[in-house]
Amino acid sequence: MANKRKTNGVLDTLQRLFGHDEQRSLLTKYAKTGIFKDHLELSKGITFKRSPECDNLIKNVLALDVVLGSQEEVEKIVKGEISKRFVNERLIQEKSKLDAKFKAYGYWLNRMDSLQELLESDFDLQSATLEDELSPSISNSYYPSSSPYALRAVKLLERIEEDGRNSKLDSKQLTEKAWALYNLGLHEQANKLAKEITSSDPTSSEAWMLKVLDMHRLQSEASREQIQYSLERESAEPLSSHERWAEEMQEDAFDKFHKAKTNERSLIFPAFLYWPEDHDSRIDKYKQPEARKQIRNGCIDWLFTLLTPYNNYCFQVDHAKLHEINGLSPEFEYKESQSSSHLRTDLSAYPAHGLTDIEVQAAKLICEDIDTDKYSRHSGVDGLHLKLKLLHIRYALNLDGYQESKEQFLKNLEYARSSDILQIQHNYYLFSAFVTHLSSDGSHSLQQRLDSLEDKVKKENDERYSLIKLNLLRKSYDHAYCRNQFDDCLAISQQSLLIAPQSKIEAPKDLSLSPLGISANNLSEKFWRYLALKAAIQADVAESNFDAVKSVLLSVENPKTYFSDEKEYMLVECDEYDDYYFPAYGKSIIETGEWLNALQRLSSGPNLSKQDQLITKGVMTELESLILTDDSWSN
């Protein structure tokens, strides 16, 4: 015989209020939390004090549970333990969720009649898509538009939410819920849930993938908005409200992009490292392989940036060690020797780079992927600049496969176009890495490879030939100078003088200058003449190079006139007040007497002809009048 229902118990109350007892378990759980304590009898079990107030509270608790789907939140609302602001935010979230569900159900409800007619007509499912063939019912046109596949996400979401009412959702179920929200367009809620998942489970691959894909979605969306409002601003009347509105919206889009970009480093590496595998595919090892490749390329960009000296992300590093792993120790030592500061912080206790363990692991995984699966359509690295960055990452982190990768890069370089070279030259650290790897077999091999590149650019008849050629020579000169290879500097500057424009206005921009400074320069004839003199002065004169050194030191018979305008051969620094000119590689060879001293050493030798002696004497006479005294330097 069945047990008799207890008067005013859970079952009896539900039957009286709703005509069924489907919420028996749920109401029992709420009663045990104490939210009905003023409406319960002091008897054994759960017995409600029958009253309008008690009935209203029961109905409202169950109604809020339907909307919020969280017993904990409903309990806090009843007890007054939750802020109105939080409740408002939750209701906005649930409203967005209900709206997405309504659209998904509405799509099919609005097309059911059309679907029925179509299937009754023996429609060929291979001839067209249902999405194109179905037409909305006019009588139900108030249903908002959606996707035919959104309903699947809705059903998945509802199933998971129902499971969450009876027991706590595990990491897998929470991830499914996050993706269901994401596929319904509820990106913010999905991202928030994914963050909670990765906080409790740092290796959750699906959650990391969602977070990083949402980051790229935000970046793409913000970029499109910047372009859109930039065009709006251009078309608006000057000083109009339309122009101000477009300007504000463009700034908002920029802030949105910057915010997404700021979070990129913390997302991109764990997302790549834990990217989920596709166990159902016989072709691709990973899910969404194109997206993974995009993330991998982003990791390569970040790794290269993080390994460059003086980057804006890694501060507690030993700069000497960092330059060393970049192959730039001579550049660092030269810069330190020229520095006027004598008080330097001891950084020797710091590491050579600021990469985290996850970032190093990601670098290794990138190289392993490429080395073990060279012919996969998703493993290849596109673009010469990206291949160079990856080569340099191997070099700096001392990863396996550097030599093989370098040989492959040199082969790729044979097919490079002038646009590829320019892309490298316009990135200071990439240009430095380029020269580092091309010179790894010695300065002679560097010149051979640069000459080969020059021939390729020349054959393309590219109008940017002098820009590319002179900057290759400029970077080569700097590389040789910092390594005290002054004979190479002499040869490079002599080669440059053959093609350098006389006018500085016509001369190409110097791309070898560090972005950390504010200096600028153009590669004119007089600038190269000065560099040639600098190299000739520094070179150790021997029988093999005597004629070359002599030719350069005597190449300017009237230095006072030739070098009268410092703008024509010096580097310039600009600020809001004035332009400041200074010579390359230390103090002026004219004002310090370095040039004069070199000529004095030359004239004391036995190998000068009478004609050369006369020229030497004339140049020395002019240079003597241009030397600044110690008092002049101190002032």
Side-chain angles (χ1 to χ4, degrees), residues 517-520 571-575 578-582:
I518 54 173
S519 55
L571 281 67
V572 60
E573 284 189 358
C574 308
D575 62 20
D578 205 352
D579 295 343
Y580 304 93
Y581 294 91
F582 60 97

Side-chain angles (χ1 to χ4, degrees), residues 400-566:
D400 292 339
Y402 170 72
Q403 285 298 331
E404 184 179 352
S405 297
K406 189 185 80 171
E407 292 304 317
Q408 184 59 50
F409 176 77
L410 293 175
K411 290 179 182 178
N412 293 328
L413 197 58
E414 295 175 6
Y415 302 97
R417 299 185 62 82
S418 56
S419 55
D420 298 321
I421 307 304
L422 270 177
Q423 187 176 14
I424 291 172
Q425 288 181 328
H426 277 88
N427 182 320
Y428 172 79
Y429 289 112
L430 197 59
F431 198 6
S432 297
F434 182 70
V435 173
T436 294
H437 301 296
L438 263 63
S439 64
S440 59
D441 299 324
S443 58
H444 181 67
S445 64
L446 170 64
Q447 289 307 314
Q448 282 186 324
R449 287 161 182 165
L450 293 182
D451 288 343
S452 176
L453 276 178
E454 175 199 347
D455 292 339
K456 280 183 58 60
V457 175
K458 199 169 186 179
K459 286 177 182 177
E460 287 185 39
N461 294 319
D462 197 307
E463 59 185 11
R464 300 165 294 186
Y465 168 73
S466 64
L467 170 65
I468 296 171
K469 169 66 174 174
L470 285 173
N471 271 289
L472 288 173
L473 291 168
R474 176 71 181 94
K475 196 69 175 179
S476 301
Y477 184 100
D478 189 70
H479 182 271
Y481 191 92
C482 292
R483 287 158 180 78
N484 298 325
Q485 297 167 351
F486 300 116
D487 285 344
D488 289 339
C489 291
L490 198 59
I492 292 167
S493 55
Q494 291 286 71
Q495 187 180 353
S496 302
L497 283 166
L498 298 175
I499 60 172
Q502 290 188 350
S503 169
K504 195 161 187 177
I505 297 175
E506 298 175 359
K509 182 180 178 182
D510 186 349
L511 302 176
S512 71
L513 301 175
S514 170
L516 299 175
I518 54 173
S519 55
N521 183 43
N522 287 53
L523 302 175
S524 64
E525 180 199 30
K526 286 188 179 180
F527 174 75
W528 280 111
R529 183 72 65 188
Y530 183 88
L531 292 191
L533 286 163
K534 187 78 176 177
I537 291 167
Q538 300 277 26
D540 292 327
V541 182
E543 186 177 347
S544 59
N545 69 353
F546 177 81
D547 288 338
V549 171
K550 180 194 73 174
S551 173
V552 171
L553 290 177
L554 300 178
S555 61
V556 181
E557 294 187 18
N558 304 106
K560 188 173 184 178
T561 303
Y562 188 84
F563 290 117
S564 61
D565 188 354
E566 59 187 12

Side-chain angles (χ1 to χ4, degrees), residues 167-356:
S167 61
K168 187 177 180 180
L169 297 176
D170 59 26
S171 179
K172 183 180 179 182
Q173 289 172 311
L174 287 172
T175 304
E176 288 181 334
K177 181 179 179 180
W179 274 108
L181 290 169
Y182 193 80
N183 291 330
L184 286 172
L186 303 173
H187 303 118
E188 189 174 339
Q189 293 185 46
N191 200 322
K192 183 179 179 182
L193 182 55
K195 286 179 182 178
E196 294 174 5
I197 296 167
T198 54
S199 295
S200 59
D201 181 10
T203 62
S204 177
S205 57
E206 292 280 354
W208 278 115
M209 183 168 70
L210 188 152
K211 287 167 67 176
V212 78
L213 292 180
D214 189 55
M215 176 203 69
H216 274 290
R217 178 193 63 81
L218 286 170
Q219 289 180 354
S220 299
E221 191 176 277
S223 296
R224 289 194 299 270
E225 288 176 3
Q226 285 186 70
I227 295 171
Q228 175 188 344
Y229 294 119
S230 175
L231 295 174
E232 285 275 0
R233 187 178 176 184
E234 290 177 7
S235 63
E237 288 292 330
L239 304 178
S240 65
S241 58
H242 182 194
E243 184 185 48
R244 289 195 298 273
W245 167 81
E247 184 177 349
E248 290 173 1
M249 295 302 291
Q250 189 178 4
E251 289 175 357
D252 289 345
F254 176 81
D255 291 341
K256 184 177 177 182
F257 180 86
H258 180 71
K259 183 179 178 181
K261 194 70 178 175
T262 302
N263 298 327
E264 188 174 65
R265 182 185 175 187
S266 62
L267 294 176
I268 200 168
F269 290 102
F272 177 77
L273 197 61
Y274 303 126
W275 198 272
E277 294 187 2
D278 191 346
H279 300 291
D280 297 325
S281 174
R282 296 182 179 180
I283 301 174
D284 298 311
K285 181 179 179 181
Y286 296 96
K287 292 183 177 179
Q288 300 199 33
E290 280 298 331
R292 183 178 183 270
K293 183 176 181 179
Q294 184 182 6
I295 300 303
R296 182 208 63 189
N297 291 349
C299 288
I300 294 173
D301 283 332
W302 265 104
L303 286 166
F304 182 81
T305 299
L306 295 171
L307 287 169
T308 55
Y310 307 112
N311 68 75
N312 293 324
Y313 306 96
C314 306
F315 300 104
Q316 293 186 328
V317 297
D318 184 332
H319 295 300
K321 294 176 186 173
L322 183 55
H323 279 80
E324 183 181 356
I325 67 173
N326 278 276
L328 299 174
S329 284
E331 281 80 357
F332 179 76
E333 291 167 5
Y334 174 77
K335 182 180 177 183
E336 290 291 290
S337 70
Q338 297 296 306
S339 174
S340 59
S341 173
H342 299 290
L343 298 175
R344 297 188 180 89
T345 306
D346 183 12
L347 302 174
S348 58
Y350 289 131
H353 60 75
L355 268 63
T356 64

